[in-house]
DNA sequence: CATGTGCGTAAGTCATGACTTACCGTAAGC
DNA sequence: GCTTACGGTAAGTCATGACTTACGCACATG
């Protein structure tokens, strides 16, 4: 899986409100699918499908425990996305600062 | 528009590969729709539709110039999403660090 | 060992999103 | 003033995604 593909999976995973609700729930700690599904407005298999997408995107870690699987947030799960956003928007911020700087010099020059 | 809704729009905007390609193109500077569409594998109206979604999400700024509209990256466009990711994943990192710390203490205690 | 529990996946349904072509309003150029 | 250029939106098509119920496998329990 390439870096760009990983970012694609992460952003697609985060673009769904149900999956974001799952991530919010998991902030309190890892929990099994059945518990997780209880507090969500969709069926248990739907939660399972979303967990699959989140796990494939590298956002969750799974801990098997007998016939249960505990899902928790992967600590480094968001690193790639953060790096991508910094890279994409870093230039915009720098260009903005440069433009403001140039405008200031122009004004001074014209005066 | 609420904060949660703004995050929703931003993440949905970023989840599409064509829109991410548009953002990549705009790193070099603001440009009109026609120029932008030339380097993309979809039609000009499709690009216009995507620009609408990106602008509504607060990621772009539009500068009218006669019958042209220059689209550029909004410098602060990604701030809300960054804050959201820090908030969502901040606990996970802290909990991970705490767990590692507790494990270390347990090991020391047991030894 | 039989039964119950947990959960992932298959298959189907339906809404939504990404694209297209066509059209129209506004500004620019001659 | 007419023609050209720019670009947003309408309307339609089609693929995709989110959900459902049903099923089956693995583990737990009595």
């Amino acid at each position: 899986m390439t870096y760009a593909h990983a970012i694609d999976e992460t952003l697609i995973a985060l673009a769904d409100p149900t999956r974001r609700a799952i991530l919010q729930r998991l902030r309190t700690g890892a929990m099994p699918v059945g518990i997780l599904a209880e507090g969500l407005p969709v069926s248990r298999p739907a939660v399972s499908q979303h967990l699959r997408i989140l796990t494939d995107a590298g956002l969750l870690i799974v801990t098997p425990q007998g016939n249960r699987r505990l899902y928790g947030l992967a600590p480094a799960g968001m690193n790639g996305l953060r790096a991508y956003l910094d890279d994409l928007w870093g230039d915009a911020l720098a260009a903005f600062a440069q433009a403001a700087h140039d405008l200031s010099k122009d004004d001074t020059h014209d005066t």
Side-chain angles (χ1 to χ4, degrees), chain A:
Chain A
M1 186 210 284
T2 65
Y3 170 76
H5 184 239
I7 298 301
D8 186 60
E9 281 201 354
T10 302
L11 285 165
I12 287 174
L14 291 170
D16 182 80
T18 303
R19 289 198 285 276
R20 290 201 301 274
I22 289 173
L23 295 174
Q24 278 291 348
R25 286 288 305 282
L26 292 177
R27 287 178 65 173
T28 63
M31 64 183 74
V33 184
I35 303 295
L36 193 47
E38 278 176 9
L40 291 166
V42 297
S43 65
R44 185 197 50 76
V47 174
S48 192
Q49 288 155 11
H50 283 300
L51 288 170
R52 172 58 171 275
I53 295 171
L54 290 166
T55 305
D56 286 349
L59 300 177
L60 299 183
I61 50 178
V62 191
T63 308
Q65 226 182 50
N67 58 352
R68 300 169 115 199
R69 300 160 76 93
L70 302 187
Y71 286 86
L73 297 182
M78 209 57 74
N79 288 1
L81 179 56
R82 274 209 190 86
Y84 168 78
L85 298 180
D86 288 344
D87 180 50
L88 186 62
W89 237 254
D91 291 351
L93 292 172
F96 179 73
Q98 183 63 44
H101 181 252
D102 289 346
L103 194 63
S104 174
K105 284 167 63 176
D106 281 349
D107 282 347
T108 302
H109 185 269
D110 286 350
T111 296

